[in-house]
Coordinates of all heavy atoms in Angstrom, one line a residue:
M457 N 102.1 103.5 107.3 CA 101.3 103.3 106.0 C 100.4 102.1 106.2 O 100.9 101.0 106.6 CB 102.3 103.1 104.9 CG 101.6 102.8 103.6 SD 102.9 102.7 102.3 CE 101.8 103.2 100.9
I458 N 99.2 102.2 105.7 CA 98.3 101.1 105.8 C 98.4 100.2 104.5 O 98.3 100.7 103.4 CB 96.8 101.6 105.9 CG1 96.7 102.4 107.1 CG2 95.9 100.4 105.9 CD1 95.4 103.2 107.2
E459 N 98.7 98.9 104.7 CA 98.8 98.0 103.6 C 97.4 97.7 103.1 O 96.5 97.5 103.9 CB 99.5 96.8 104.0 CG 101.0 97.0 104.4 CD 101.7 95.8 104.6 OE1 101.4 94.7 104.1 OE2 102.7 95.8 105.4
P460 N 97.2 97.6 101.8 CA 95.9 97.3 101.2 C 95.5 95.8 101.6 O 96.3 95.0 101.9 CB 96.1 97.5 99.7 CG 97.6 97.3 99.5 CD 98.2 97.7 100.8
V461 N 94.2 95.6 101.4 CA 93.6 94.3 101.6 C 94.1 93.4 100.5 O 94.0 93.8 99.3 CB 92.1 94.3 101.7 CG1 91.5 93.0 101.8 CG2 91.6 95.2 102.8
I462 N 94.6 92.3 100.8 CA 95.1 91.4 99.7 C 94.0 90.8 98.9 O 94.0 90.7 97.7 CB 96.0 90.2 100.3 CG1 97.2 90.8 101.0 CG2 96.3 89.2 99.3 CD1 98.0 89.9 101.8
E463 N 92.9 90.5 99.6 CA 91.7 89.8 98.9 C 90.5 90.6 99.3 O 90.3 91.0 100.5 CB 91.6 88.4 99.5 CG 90.8 87.5 98.7 CD 90.8 86.1 99.3 OE1 91.8 85.7 99.9 OE2 89.8 85.4 99.0
Q464 N 89.6 90.9 98.4 CA 88.4 91.7 98.6 C 87.5 90.9 99.5 O 87.4 89.7 99.4 CB 87.7 92.1 97.3 CG 88.5 93.1 96.5 CD 88.8 94.4 97.2 OE1 87.8 95.0 97.8 NE2 90.0 94.9 97.2
L465 N 86.7 91.6 100.3 CA 85.7 91.0 101.2 C 84.5 90.7 100.3 O 84.1 91.5 99.4 CB 85.3 91.9 102.3 CG 86.3 92.3 103.3 CD1 85.7 93.3 104.3 CD2 86.9 91.1 104.0
S466 N 83.9 89.5 100.6 CA 82.6 89.2 99.9 C 81.5 90.1 100.5 O 81.7 90.7 101.5 CB 82.3 87.7 100.1 OG 81.9 87.5 101.5
E467 N 80.4 90.1 99.8 CA 79.2 90.9 100.3 C 78.8 90.4 101.7 O 78.6 91.2 102.5 CB 78.1 90.7 99.3 CG 76.9 91.6 99.6 CD 77.1 93.1 99.7 OE1 78.0 93.5 98.8 OE2 76.5 93.8 100.5
R468 N 78.8 89.1 101.9 CA 78.3 88.6 103.2 C 79.4 89.0 104.3 O 79.0 89.3 105.4 CB 78.2 87.1 103.1 CG 77.5 86.5 104.3 CD 76.1 87.2 104.5 NE 75.1 86.3 104.2 CZ 73.8 86.5 104.4 NH1 73.4 87.7 104.9 NH2 72.9 85.7 104.1
E469 N 80.7 88.9 103.9 CA 81.7 89.2 104.9 C 81.6 90.7 105.3 O 81.7 91.1 106.4 CB 83.1 89.0 104.3 CG 83.4 87.5 104.2 CD 84.6 87.2 103.4 OE1 85.1 88.1 102.7 OE2 85.1 86.1 103.4
R470 N 81.2 91.5 104.3 CA 81.0 93.0 104.6 C 79.8 93.2 105.5 O 79.9 94.0 106.4 CB 80.8 93.7 103.2 CG 81.5 95.0 103.1 CD 81.2 95.6 101.8 NE 81.9 95.0 100.7 CZ 83.0 95.4 100.2 NH1 83.5 96.5 100.7 NH2 83.6 94.8 99.2
E471 N 78.8 92.4 105.3 CA 77.6 92.5 106.1 C 77.9 92.1 107.6 O 77.5 92.8 108.5 CB 76.4 91.7 105.6 CG 75.9 92.1 104.3 CD 74.9 91.2 103.7 OE1 74.8 90.0 104.1 OE2 74.1 91.6 102.8
V472 N 78.7 91.1 107.7 CA 79.1 90.6 109.0 C 80.0 91.7 109.7 O 79.8 92.0 110.9 CB 79.8 89.3 109.0 CG1 80.5 88.9 110.3 CG2 78.8 88.2 108.6
L473 N 80.9 92.3 108.9 CA 81.8 93.3 109.4 C 81.0 94.5 109.9 O 81.3 95.1 110.9 CB 82.8 93.7 108.4 CG 83.9 94.7 108.7 CD1 84.7 94.3 109.9 CD2 84.7 95.0 107.5
E474 N 80.0 94.9 109.1 CA 79.2 96.1 109.5 C 78.5 95.9 110.9 O 78.5 96.8 111.7 CB 78.1 96.4 108.4 CG 78.7 96.9 107.2 CD 77.7 96.9 106.0 OE1 76.5 96.5 106.2 OE2 78.1 97.4 104.9
R475 N 78.1 94.7 111.1 CA 77.4 94.4 112.3 C 78.4 94.2 113.5 O 78.2 94.6 114.6 CB 76.6 93.1 112.2 CG 75.3 93.4 111.4 CD 74.7 92.2 110.7 NE 73.5 92.6 110.0 CZ 73.4 93.2 108.8 NH1 74.5 93.5 108.2 NH2 72.3 93.5 108.3
L476 N 79.6 93.8 113.1 CA 80.7 93.7 114.1 C 81.0 95.1 114.6 O 81.2 95.3 115.8 CB 81.9 93.0 113.5 CG 83.0 92.6 114.4 CD1 82.6 91.4 115.1 CD2 84.3 92.2 113.5
A477 N 81.0 96.1 113.7 CA 81.3 97.4 114.0 C 80.2 98.0 114.9 O 80.5 99.0 115.7 CB 81.5 98.3 112.8
Q478 N 79.0 97.5 114.9 CA 77.9 97.9 115.7 C 77.9 97.3 117.1 O 77.0 97.4 117.8 CB 76.6 97.7 115.0 CG 76.4 98.4 113.7 CD 75.2 97.9 112.9 OE1 74.3 97.2 113.5 NE2 75.1 98.3 111.7
M479 N 79.0 96.5 117.3 CA 79.2 95.8 118.6 C 78.2 94.7 118.8 O 77.8 94.4 120.0 CB 79.2 96.8 119.8 CG 80.3 97.8 119.7 SD 82.0 97.1 119.5 CE 82.2 96.3 121.1
M480 N 77.7 94.1 117.8 CA 76.7 93.0 117.9 C 77.6 91.8 118.2 O 78.7 91.6 117.7 CB 75.9 92.8 116.6 CG 75.0 94.0 116.3 SD 74.2 93.8 114.7 CE 73.0 92.5 115.1
S481 N 77.0 90.9 119.0 CA 77.6 89.6 119.3 C 77.5 88.7 118.1 O 76.7 88.9 117.2 CB 77.0 89.0 120.5 OG 75.7 88.5 120.2
R482 N 78.3 87.6 118.2 CA 78.1 86.6 117.1 C 76.7 86.0 117.0 O 76.2 85.8 115.9 CB 79.1 85.4 117.3 CG 80.5 85.8 116.9 CD 81.4 84.6 117.1 NE 81.7 84.5 118.6 CZ 82.7 83.8 119.1 NH1 83.4 83.1 118.3 NH2 82.9 83.8 120.4
D483 N 76.1 85.8 118.2 CA 74.7 85.3 118.2 C 73.7 86.3 117.6 O 72.9 85.9 116.8 CB 74.3 85.0 119.6 CG 75.0 83.8 120.2 OD1 75.5 83.0 119.4 OD2 75.0 83.7 121.4
E484 N 73.9 87.6 117.9 CA 73.1 88.6 117.3 C 73.3 88.8 115.8 O 72.3 89.0 115.1 CB 73.4 90.0 118.0 CG 72.9 90.0 119.5 CD 73.4 91.2 120.2 OE1 74.5 91.8 119.9 OE2 72.7 91.7 121.2
I485 N 74.5 88.7 115.4 CA 74.8 88.8 113.9 C 74.2 87.6 113.2 O 73.5 87.8 112.2 CB 76.3 88.8 113.7 CG1 77.0 90.1 114.2 CG2 76.6 88.7 112.2 CD1 78.5 90.1 114.2
A486 N 74.3 86.4 113.8 CA 73.7 85.2 113.2 C 72.2 85.4 113.1 O 71.6 85.1 112.0 CB 74.0 84.0 114.0
A487 N 71.5 85.9 114.1 CA 70.1 86.0 114.1 C 69.7 87.1 113.1 O 68.7 86.9 112.3 CB 69.6 86.4 115.5
D488 N 70.4 88.2 113.0 CA 70.1 89.3 112.2 C 70.2 88.9 110.7 O 69.4 89.4 109.8 CB 71.0 90.5 112.5 CG 70.5 91.8 111.9 OD1 69.3 92.1 111.9 OD2 71.3 92.5 111.3
L489 N 71.2 88.1 110.4 CA 71.5 87.7 109.0 C 70.9 86.4 108.6 O 71.1 85.9 107.5 CB 73.0 87.7 108.7 CG 73.7 89.1 108.8 CD1 75.2 88.9 108.6 CD2 73.1 90.0 107.7
H490 N 70.2 85.8 109.6 CA 69.6 84.4 109.4 C 70.6 83.4 109.0 O 70.5 82.7 108.0 CB 68.5 84.5 108.3 CG 67.4 85.6 108.6 ND1 66.5 85.4 109.6 CD2 67.2 86.8 108.0 CE1 65.8 86.5 109.6 NE2 66.2 87.3 108.7
L491 N 71.7 83.4 109.8 CA 72.8 82.4 109.6 C 73.0 81.7 110.8 O 72.6 82.1 111.9 CB 74.1 83.2 109.2 CG 74.2 84.1 108.0 CD1 75.4 84.9 108.0 CD2 74.0 83.2 106.8
S492 N 73.8 80.6 110.8 CA 74.1 79.8 112.0 C 75.3 80.6 112.6 O 76.0 81.3 111.9 CB 74.5 78.4 111.7 OG 75.8 78.4 111.0
V493 N 75.5 80.4 113.9 CA 76.6 81.0 114.6 C 77.9 80.5 114.0 O 78.9 81.3 113.8 CB 76.6 80.7 116.1 CG1 77.8 81.3 116.8 CG2 75.3 81.4 116.7
N494 N 78.0 79.2 113.6 CA 79.2 78.7 113.0 C 79.5 79.4 111.7 O 80.7 79.6 111.4 CB 79.1 77.2 112.8 CG 79.3 76.4 114.1 OD1 80.0 76.9 115.0 ND2 78.7 75.2 114.2
T495 N 78.5 79.7 110.9 CA 78.7 80.4 109.6 C 79.3 81.8 109.9 O 80.2 82.2 109.2 CB 77.4 80.5 108.8 OG1 77.0 79.1 108.5 CG2 77.6 81.2 107.5
V496 N 78.8 82.5 110.9 CA 79.3 83.8 111.3 C 80.7 83.7 111.7 O 81.6 84.5 111.3 CB 78.4 84.4 112.4 CG1 79.1 85.7 112.9 CG2 77.0 84.7 111.9
K497 N 81.1 82.6 112.5 CA 82.5 82.4 112.9 C 83.4 82.3 111.7 O 84.5 82.8 111.7 CB 82.6 81.2 113.8 CG 82.0 81.4 115.2 CD 82.1 80.1 116.0 CE 81.5 80.2 117.4 NZ 81.6 79.0 118.1
T498 N 82.9 81.5 110.7 CA 83.7 81.3 109.5 C 83.9 82.6 108.8 O 85.0 82.9 108.3 CB 83.0 80.3 108.6 OG1 82.9 79.0 109.3 CG2 83.8 80.0 107.3
H499 N 82.8 83.4 108.6 CA 83.0 84.7 108.0 C 83.9 85.6 108.7 O 84.7 86.3 108.1 CB 81.6 85.4 107.8 CG 80.7 84.8 106.8 ND1 81.2 84.5 105.5 CD2 79.5 84.4 106.8 CE1 80.2 84.0 104.8 NE2 79.1 83.9 105.6
L500 N 83.8 85.6 110.1 CA 84.7 86.4 110.9 C 86.2 86.0 110.7 O 87.1 86.9 110.6 CB 84.3 86.4 112.3 CG 83.0 87.1 112.7 CD1 82.7 86.9 114.2 CD2 83.2 88.6 112.4
K501 N 86.5 84.7 110.7 CA 87.8 84.3 110.5 C 88.4 84.8 109.2 O 89.5 85.2 109.1 CB 87.9 82.7 110.5 CG 87.8 82.1 111.9 CD 87.9 80.6 111.8 CE 87.5 80.0 113.1 NZ 87.5 78.5 113.0
S502 N 87.5 84.7 108.1 CA 87.9 85.2 106.8 C 88.2 86.7 106.8 O 89.1 87.2 106.2 CB 86.8 84.8 105.8 OG 87.2 85.2 104.5
V503 N 87.3 87.4 107.5 CA 87.4 88.9 107.5 C 88.7 89.2 108.3 O 89.5 90.1 107.8 CB 86.2 89.5 108.3 CG1 86.5 91.0 108.6 CG2 85.0 89.4 107.4
Y504 N 89.0 88.6 109.4 CA 90.2 88.9 110.1 C 91.4 88.6 109.3 O 92.4 89.3 109.3 CB 90.2 88.1 111.4 CG 89.3 88.5 112.5 CD1 89.0 87.7 113.6 CD2 88.5 89.6 112.4 CE1 88.2 88.0 114.6 CE2 87.6 90.0 113.4 CZ 87.5 89.2 114.5 OH 86.6 89.6 115.5
R505 N 91.4 87.5 108.6 CA 92.5 87.1 107.7 C 92.8 88.1 106.6 O 93.9 88.6 106.4 CB 92.3 85.7 107.1 CG 93.4 85.2 106.2 CD 93.1 83.9 105.6 NE 91.8 83.8 104.9 CZ 91.6 84.3 103.7 NH1 92.5 84.8 103.0 NH2 90.4 84.1 103.2
K506 N 91.7 88.5 106.0 CA 91.8 89.4 104.9 C 92.2 90.8 105.3 O 92.9 91.6 104.6 CB 90.5 89.5 104.1 CG 90.2 88.3 103.3 CD 88.8 88.3 102.6 CE 88.5 87.1 101.8 NZ 87.2 87.2 101.1
L507 N 91.9 91.2 106.5 CA 92.2 92.5 107.1 C 93.5 92.4 107.9 O 93.9 93.5 108.5 CB 91.1 93.1 107.9 CG 89.8 93.4 107.1 CD1 88.7 93.9 108.1 CD2 90.1 94.5 106.1
A508 N 94.1 91.3 108.0 CA 95.3 91.1 108.8 C 95.1 91.6 110.2 O 95.9 92.3 110.8 CB 96.5 91.8 108.2
A509 N 94.0 91.1 110.8 CA 93.6 91.5 112.2 C 93.4 90.3 113.0 O 93.2 89.2 112.5 CB 92.3 92.3 112.1
T510 N 93.5 90.4 114.3 CA 93.3 89.3 115.2 C 92.2 89.5 116.2 O 91.8 88.6 116.8 CB 94.6 89.1 116.1 OG1 95.0 90.3 116.7 CG2 95.8 88.6 115.2
R511 N 91.7 90.7 116.3 CA 90.6 91.0 117.2 C 89.5 91.9 116.5 O 89.8 92.6 115.5 CB 91.1 91.8 118.4 CG 92.0 90.9 119.3 CD 92.6 91.7 120.4 NE 93.3 92.8 119.7 CZ 94.4 93.4 120.2 NH1 94.9 93.0 121.3 NH2 95.0 94.3 119.5
R512 N 88.4 92.0 117.1 CA 87.3 92.8 116.6 C 87.6 94.2 116.4 O 87.4 94.8 115.3 CB 86.1 92.7 117.7 CG 85.0 93.6 117.4 CD 84.0 93.6 118.6 NE 83.3 92.4 118.8 CZ 82.1 92.1 118.4 NH1 81.3 93.1 117.9 NH2 81.5 91.0 118.6
G513 N 88.2 94.9 117.4 CA 88.5 96.3 117.3 C 89.5 96.6 116.3 O 89.4 97.6 115.5
E514 N 90.5 95.7 116.2 CA 91.5 95.9 115.1 C 90.9 95.7 113.7 O 91.3 96.5 112.8 CB 92.6 94.8 115.4 CG 93.8 94.9 114.5 CD 94.8 93.8 114.7 OE1 94.6 92.9 115.6 OE2 95.9 93.8 114.1
A515 N 90.1 94.8 113.5 CA 89.4 94.6 112.2 C 88.6 95.8 111.9 O 88.6 96.3 110.7 CB 88.6 93.3 112.2
V516 N 87.8 96.3 112.8 CA 87.0 97.5 112.6 C 87.8 98.7 112.2 O 87.5 99.4 111.3 CB 86.0 97.7 113.7 CG1 85.3 99.1 113.6 CG2 85.0 96.6 113.9
R517 N 88.9 98.9 113.0 CA 89.7 100.1 112.8 C 90.4 100.0 111.4 O 90.4 101.0 110.6 CB 90.8 100.2 113.8 CG 90.5 101.0 115.0 CD 91.7 101.3 115.9 NE 92.4 100.1 116.3 CZ 92.0 99.3 117.3 NH1 90.9 99.6 118.0 NH2 92.7 98.2 117.7
R518 N 90.9 98.8 111.1 CA 91.5 98.6 109.8 C 90.5 98.8 108.6 O 90.8 99.4 107.6 CB 92.1 97.2 109.7 CG 92.9 97.0 108.5 CD 94.2 96.1 108.8 NE 94.7 95.6 107.6 CZ 95.4 96.3 106.7 NH1 95.6 97.5 106.8 NH2 95.9 95.7 105.6
A519 N 89.3 98.3 108.8 CA 88.3 98.5 107.7 C 87.9 99.9 107.6 O 87.7 100.4 106.4 CB 87.0 97.7 108.1
R520 N 87.9 100.7 108.7 CA 87.6 102.1 108.5 C 88.8 102.8 107.9 O 88.5 103.7 107.0 CB 87.3 102.7 109.9 CG 86.0 102.3 110.4 CD 85.6 103.0 111.7 NE 84.2 102.6 112.1 CZ 83.8 102.3 113.3 NH1 84.7 102.3 114.3 NH2 82.6 102.0 113.5
D521 N 90.0 102.5 108.2 CA 91.2 103.1 107.6 C 91.2 102.9 106.1 O 91.7 103.7 105.3 CB 92.5 102.6 108.3 CG 92.7 103.1 109.7 OD1 92.0 104.1 110.1 OD2 93.5 102.5 110.4
L522 N 90.7 101.7 105.7 CA 90.7 101.3 104.3 C 89.4 101.7 103.6 O 89.2 101.4 102.4 CB 90.9 99.8 104.2 CG 92.3 99.3 104.6 CD1 92.3 97.8 104.7 CD2 93.4 99.7 103.6
H523 N 88.6 102.4 104.3 CA 87.3 102.9 103.7 C 86.4 101.8 103.3 O 85.6 101.9 102.3 CB 87.5 103.9 102.6 CG 88.4 105.0 103.0 ND1 88.0 106.0 103.9 CD2 89.7 105.3 102.7 CE1 89.0 106.9 104.1 NE2 90.0 106.5 103.4
I524 N 86.5 100.7 104.0 CA 85.6 99.6 103.8 C 84.3 99.8 104.6 O 83.2 99.4 104.2 CB 86.2 98.2 104.1 CG1 87.4 98.0 103.2 CG2 85.2 97.1 104.0 CD1 88.3 96.8 103.6
L525 N 84.4 100.4 105.7 CA 83.3 100.8 106.6 C 83.1 102.3 106.5 O 84.0 103.0 106.4 CB 83.5 100.4 108.0 CG 83.4 98.9 108.4 CD1 83.7 98.7 109.8 CD2 82.0 98.5 108.1

């Protein structure tokens, strides 16, 4: 059974997650969203925490399972 997300993703976190699912690098995500790489890293940490994931693939799978992606 998939446990629900404890805290909803922000709009920006969702945008970062969508690009993560497209296999974009942190640098590419930053450039695409006009953010600094450090800001992208912060959003990714938050996404991983909210999805109870530790890696990119795990976060993307969990987001798809929860119909976030």
Side-chain angles (χ1 to χ4, degrees):
M457 177 177 206
I458 300 168
E459 294 186 28
V461 176
I462 296 171
E463 198 177 333
Q464 293 298 315
L465 298 178
S466 71
E467 182 63 33
R468 191 56 109 177
E469 289 167 347
R470 219 180 287 263
E471 291 172 345
V472 169
L473 179 61
E474 288 169 0
R475 284 154 181 80
L476 194 70
Q478 296 170 14
M479 299 305 293
M480 293 175 75
S481 70
R482 283 182 281 195
D483 290 342
E484 291 169 331
I485 294 169
D488 194 46
L489 294 176
H490 307 287
L491 301 171
S492 73
V493 174
N494 283 334
T495 300
V496 170
K497 287 179 186 179
T498 300
H499 285 310
L500 287 174
K501 284 181 192 176
S502 183
V503 167
Y504 290 169
R505 178 182 53 80
K506 290 177 180 182
L507 293 176
T510 56
R511 292 175 302 214
R512 171 189 294 254
E514 185 180 5
V516 170
R517 270 191 304 281
R518 186 142 164 73
R520 287 186 175 138
D521 289 345
L522 293 167
H523 306 290
I524 296 171
L525 283 177

